[in-house]
Amino acid sequence: FRRVLFRSRYQAGRYVLDLNTVPKEISDHLQKSDSLVYAYAQSRFLGAKPEPSLIVAQRVTIPDSPPHVVYLLYSQKSVNESVDLIKNALLATGLFLIVLIALITWLVVRSVVSPVRQAAVIAKKFTEGDFKQRLSVDSQDEIAMLANSFNEMALSIENQISRLENL
């Protein structure tokens, strides 16, 4: 076979493909068939570093000429660089979102736990006989409804004890 080589990107100079870097399945297929075959492999040009490539090959017959094998190489180097860039951007975005979710979770838990802790402290003071304590109501959510109910209960208990003391 005579070998003809094309590269996907034109660059000045002459390139000679190191045929040892052509995958064996391509060579075996070309011995048996004229159909197109491709494979991903580390291709290397003589005098150059290996690089990831898509190697497409086909045997062609030209009248009055020995059979030729045409190789077309597409470098995957820029594709791999783009994938690495996207992977790193996704990783950074994922880490940022994890930190953001942790911060939001902390704020939500804090907004729920603080009023409950305050209610526990005031309830303890009630058991010690200090009925003047009340929960502060700063919003209109469920915690505020709980604080209002707690304050009404405290007022009711305070009134009941005052009534009993006056008897």
Side-chain angles (χ1 to χ4, degrees):
F1 293 118
R2 292 190 73 193
R3 289 164 172 52
V4 179
L5 172 67
F6 294 97
R7 286 198 61 168
S8 61
R9 231 181 255 143
Y10 177 78
Q11 296 172 340
R14 183 166 182 209
Y15 296 99
V16 178
L17 178 65
D18 181 357
L19 292 176
N20 293 326
T21 62
V22 174
K24 185 171 177 11
E25 62 262 18
I26 288 181
S27 301
D28 291 346
H29 180 83
L30 292 173
Q31 295 295 326
K32 302 174 194 168
S33 171
D34 288 343
S35 65
L36 184 77
V37 63
Y38 67 92
Y40 290 97
Q42 290 284 334
S43 64
R44 190 169 68 77
F45 293 93
L46 296 178
K49 293 180 182 177
E51 62 182 55
S53 300
L54 170 63
I55 302 173
V56 181
Q58 185 171 18
R59 186 170 60 178
V60 293
T61 305
I62 300 173
D64 300 328
S65 176
H68 290 72
V69 175
V70 177
Y71 293 94
L72 181 58
L73 277 76
Y74 291 97
S75 174
Q76 298 295 299
K77 185 177 180 183
S78 63
V79 173
N80 290 348
E81 289 170 355
S82 297
V83 167
D84 287 343
L85 178 68
I86 291 169
K87 180 178 67 174
N88 291 337
L90 287 174
L91 182 63
T93 302
L95 290 174
F96 173 75
L97 287 175
I98 288 171
V99 169
L100 184 64
I101 289 170
L103 178 65
I104 290 170
T105 302
W106 179 76
L107 289 172
V108 168
V109 167
R110 186 172 152 228
S111 72
V112 170
V113 170
S114 277
V116 172
R117 282 189 183 146
Q118 184 184 11
V121 168
I122 292 176
K124 185 171 183 179
K125 288 182 181 182
F126 275 9
T127 61
E128 295 169 354
D130 183 5
F131 299 108
K132 301 288 183 200
Q133 298 291 320
R134 299 292 184 267
L135 289 173
S136 61
V137 179
D138 300 329
S139 63
Q140 299 294 324
D141 60 1
E142 291 80 9
I143 300 294
M145 289 173 49
L146 178 66
N148 283 330
S149 297
F150 187 88
N151 290 339
E152 289 172 11
M153 179 189 71
L155 182 62
S156 174
I157 291 173
E158 185 179 10
N159 289 339
Q160 290 290 336
I161 290 177
S162 293
R163 235 182 290 146
L164 288 173
E165 286 176 351
N166 290 335
L167 287 178

